[in-house]
Amino acid sequence: MKIYAFLLLMLWNVGTLWAQEYKLTLVEAVEQARHQSIAAKQAITQKKTTYWQYRSFLADYRPQLSLDGTLPGFTRSYIEVVQPDGTIAFQPVSNNNSLLSLSLSQSIAPTGGTLYVQNQLQRFDDFARDNTRYNGVPFEMGIRQPLFRYNAMRWDRRIQPLKYQEGMQQYLSSMEEVALQASGYYFDLLVAQVNLQIAEKNRQNNDTLYKIAQHKLELGRISQNDLLQLQMGVLTAEKDLASAQQSATVASLQLNRYIGFRNDRMPELEIPTQLREFVVEPQKAIDEAFANRADAVAFSRRLLEAERDVQQAVKENGLNASLNATFGLSNRGSQPMDVYRKPQDREFVELQFTLPILTWGRNKARTEVAKANREFAQQSVEQDKLTFEQQIFTQVTLLQMLQKQVRLTRLADEIAANRYQIAQERFILSNLSVTDLAIATQEKDRAKRDYILALRDYWQSYYSLRLLTLYDFERREKIWYE
């Protein structure tokens, strides 16, 4: 029995702890979201994608070693053979034609060409005649070089690093976006909890005042109309309480899900009254934004891409040529080693070209379209830069204003709370009307809500400024995440 009672007690204690609210501060909610939220994990995954894409780009400009082959290349069939008299005879064939090639290639970014060396060995088995022959290239060096053509590699070497930097900066922005979203959900719940506290307190106060009013009515010190007004206040408080409970439950679920808490307990939020007041110089904020934000990197990238498209249109609409040249050694024999004994020279040179002569203005039109797109990109980037600067300047001004707003609303909240306390005491002493008491109650509730809303606006502005600049003005350092 003692063991059974002990187990029941333990289960009751666990259930009680589970049902209790857990405390949570704004900083803790933001840090939890940065580590556990789905949005943060997506940002990390995107960062990895950007990193490996850049690694793949760098690998393309390093020597590439590859082994190519055809093993086996067996054929058994009948083929047509033209006879000396012009007739056709179908002769049976049965052979295996295998090939192995080991090559080392290197891209030449300044010219857009490719330099390579290779070793090749071929074996041909004629099963019909029971004959085996070998052919090979012990050594061959060659170059494939476009001439007068658009060099994609040279432009990629300028654009791809910007894309990589843009992706890394976007990761920082995504993490700050997580902080902004988490603070928004935090204050949604905080506002709901404050409304719930106000509704609960008003219900209790209205119930108490209604009971006092009933006693005062018996003494003839209050009218029946005032009593009914207080009774309506009790009913209204009950409805407000039910609505506030529903809103708090929904807001709690949203916050828990976003920051990665997989339970249905409602956190007890702390009001972040410790403001981080600091002076932010607008020009400093703009400079940091252009130094840190992915948007600033994107401005340079967009201009480069527009210039690249113009160069591509110009180059591809004119003379296009390609030079292919190889020099090496080759040989044949009945044994594999015969290929490597006294090989003979092997040379190959080819120059291909295409020169448009009559295009009816098509090439010029393509070039002009690319130039117009470049001009439009320049105008768009300039406009985006102005909008970017204006957005930062507005956010800095807003943050400074909201710091003052929080101080004023906090003072108004204290005054309204003291005034309500005085009004309540005067009503109990029959020295205040029900209407004046209701006005004092409304002002108290409004002042409390205004204070919480001012705090929310301040912290949203604080995290928005961090997002826009990727700079911590409190610590005077750039924002960075591993």
Side-chain angles (χ1 to χ4, degrees):
M1 291 297 293
K2 291 183 178 180
I3 296 177
Y4 180 71
F6 175 76
L7 290 175
L8 286 178
L9 180 61
M10 289 297 294
L11 289 174
W12 183 85
N13 288 333
V14 170
T16 302
L17 290 174
W18 179 259
Q20 289 177 348
E21 297 177 343
Y22 64 95
K23 295 186 178 181
L24 187 67
T25 66
L26 176 60
V27 174
E28 291 171 346
V30 169
E31 287 301 316
Q32 175 70 16
R34 284 172 176 162
H35 289 87
Q36 297 296 331
S37 68
I38 298 298
K41 294 177 181 178
Q42 289 176 333
I44 294 173
T45 301
Q46 186 60 45
K47 176 187 176 184
K48 292 179 180 178
T49 301
T50 301
Y51 171 77
W52 288 111
Q53 285 177 340
Y54 187 63
R55 284 287 302 271
S56 176
F57 159 74
L58 293 178
D60 290 339
Y61 291 85
R62 293 173 179 169
Q64 307 291 316
L65 181 64
S66 62
L67 177 66
D68 303 319
T70 302
L71 291 174
F74 177 76
T75 301
R76 175 177 291 172
S77 180
Y78 287 90
I79 63 173
E80 60 179 44
V81 179
V82 179
Q83 303 301 305
D85 60 357
T87 62
I88 294 177
F90 293 94
Q91 300 293 336
V93 295
S94 178
N95 59 56
N96 177 60
N97 192 3
S98 300
L99 178 68
L100 277 179
S101 175
L102 180 65
S103 61
L104 178 66
S105 62
Q106 172 65 59
S107 298
I108 309 173
T111 64
T114 302
L115 184 68
Y116 64 92
V117 294
Q118 69 175 356
N119 178 284
Q120 189 178 92
L121 181 64
Q122 181 181 9
R123 171 173 171 164
F124 182 79
D125 297 296
D126 188 346
F127 299 114
R129 297 171 179 81
D130 192 21
N131 184 26
T132 299
R133 302 295 292 173
Y134 290 89
N135 179 49
V137 180
F139 171 79
E140 183 179 66
M141 179 176 64
I143 185 172
R144 293 187 290 268
Q145 179 59 58
L147 301 175
F148 314 110
R149 297 177 63 180
Y150 165 70
N151 186 355
M153 288 189 289
R154 185 169 67 89
W155 283 99
D156 284 344
R157 292 191 69 176
R158 300 176 63 185
I159 294 175
Q160 290 299 327
L162 290 179
K163 285 187 175 182
Y164 174 72
Q165 182 182 358
E166 186 180 351
M168 293 296 102
Q169 297 302 104
Q170 185 58 50
Y171 164 70
L172 301 179
S173 297
S174 297
M175 295 301 289
E176 284 303 304
E177 180 70 25
V178 168
L180 179 62
Q181 291 292 334
S183 67
Y185 285 120
Y186 183 93
F187 275 98
D188 287 345
L189 178 56
L190 183 59
V191 170
Q193 286 187 344
V194 169
N195 287 333
L196 180 60
Q197 294 171 2
I198 291 173
E200 177 63 29
K201 189 65 176 178
N202 287 343
R203 186 191 64 80
Q204 295 175 359
N205 290 342
N206 286 337
D207 187 63
T208 300
L209 293 175
Y210 177 67
K211 293 178 180 178
I212 294 175
Q214 286 179 318
H215 180 65
K216 293 171 69 173
L217 180 64
E218 295 174 357
L219 299 177
R221 298 168 59 183
I222 192 175
S223 67
Q224 183 69 31
N225 183 62
D226 289 341
L227 181 65
L228 293 176
Q229 186 175 349
L230 287 173
Q231 187 177 12
M232 285 295 298
V234 172
L235 296 176
T236 301
E238 291 286 352
K239 292 190 297 182
D240 292 343
L241 178 60
S243 177
Q245 288 173 339
Q246 174 66 19
S247 298
T249 300
V250 173
S252 174
L253 182 62
Q254 290 177 336
L255 176 62
N256 283 339
R257 292 296 181 268
Y258 186 78
I259 66 177
F261 281 161
R262 303 305 180 192
N263 60 66
D264 296 329
R265 292 186 296 167
M266 180 182 296
E268 181 183 346
L269 302 186
E270 177 184 296
I271 299 177
T273 57
Q274 298 296 327
L275 297 186
R276 304 174 181 179
E277 295 191 14
F278 45 83
V279 178
V280 180
E281 298 178 1
Q283 189 57 48
K284 172 68 173 177
I286 292 174
D287 292 342
E288 291 297 336
F290 275 96
N292 305 328
R293 286 274 295 182
D295 304 72
V297 181
F299 294 151
S300 301
R301 174 185 56 78
R302 288 162 57 188
L303 293 177
L304 268 179
E305 289 176 341
E307 184 64 32
R308 174 201 62 189
D309 294 342
V310 171
Q311 293 299 318
Q312 183 177 4
V314 171
K315 294 291 185 180
E316 292 184 350
N317 290 333
L319 173 62
N320 287 324
S322 178
L323 173 65
N324 297 319
T326 63
F327 171 80
L329 303 172
S330 64
N331 206 346
R332 58 188 175 82
S334 58
Q335 298 295 327
M337 294 306 299
D338 293 342
V339 175
Y340 299 93
R341 293 190 182 100
K342 298 181 180 181
Q344 304 300 310
D345 291 349
R346 182 175 187 268
E347 296 90 12
F348 172 80
V349 177
E350 179 185 64
L351 178 63
Q352 297 178 337
F353 70 91
T354 301
L355 179 62
I357 297 177
L358 182 62
T359 62
W360 304 101
R362 179 192 63 190
N363 294 345
K364 179 177 176 58
R366 290 177 177 175
T367 302
E368 291 302 320
V369 168
K371 290 181 178 179
N373 289 336
R374 178 181 61 184
E375 184 178 355
F376 181 79
Q378 293 171 345
Q379 296 167 351
S380 298
V381 167
E382 189 64 26
Q383 180 61 50
D384 291 344
K385 284 182 178 180
L386 294 175
T387 303
F388 191 56
E389 293 179 1
Q390 182 63 39
Q391 187 179 16
I392 296 170
F393 182 83
T394 302
Q395 196 63 49
V396 170
T397 306
L398 178 63
L399 181 66
Q400 304 297 333
M401 183 272 292
L402 289 173
Q403 290 179 350
K404 299 178 182 179
Q405 190 73 13
V406 170
R407 290 195 297 268
L408 294 176
T409 54
R410 178 171 57 190
L411 180 59
D413 178 44
E414 295 173 355
I415 294 174
N418 292 333
R419 183 175 182 274
Y420 172 75
Q421 185 64 32
I422 294 173
Q424 189 179 37
E425 293 174 355
R426 288 181 58 191
F427 176 79
I428 295 175
L429 297 175
S430 302
N431 194 20
L432 188 71
S433 66
V434 173
T435 301
D436 291 336
L437 178 62
I439 293 174
T441 301
Q442 293 174 0
E443 291 179 350
K444 170 191 63 93
D445 297 345
R446 183 167 57 250
K448 173 60 72 174
R449 293 189 181 97
D450 289 345
Y451 174 52
I452 299 300
L453 293 176
L455 282 174
R456 180 189 66 182
D457 293 341
Y458 167 79
W459 285 105
Q460 288 279 279
S461 179
Y462 170 81
Y463 284 111
S464 295
L465 184 61
R466 285 173 57 97
L467 171 61
L468 287 174
T469 62
L470 293 181
Y471 187 80
D472 190 336
F473 287 93
E474 182 185 14
R475 299 180 179 179
R476 296 291 174 179
E477 62 183 17
K478 296 181 184 296
I479 295 174
W480 181 256
Y481 298 97
E482 294 295 336

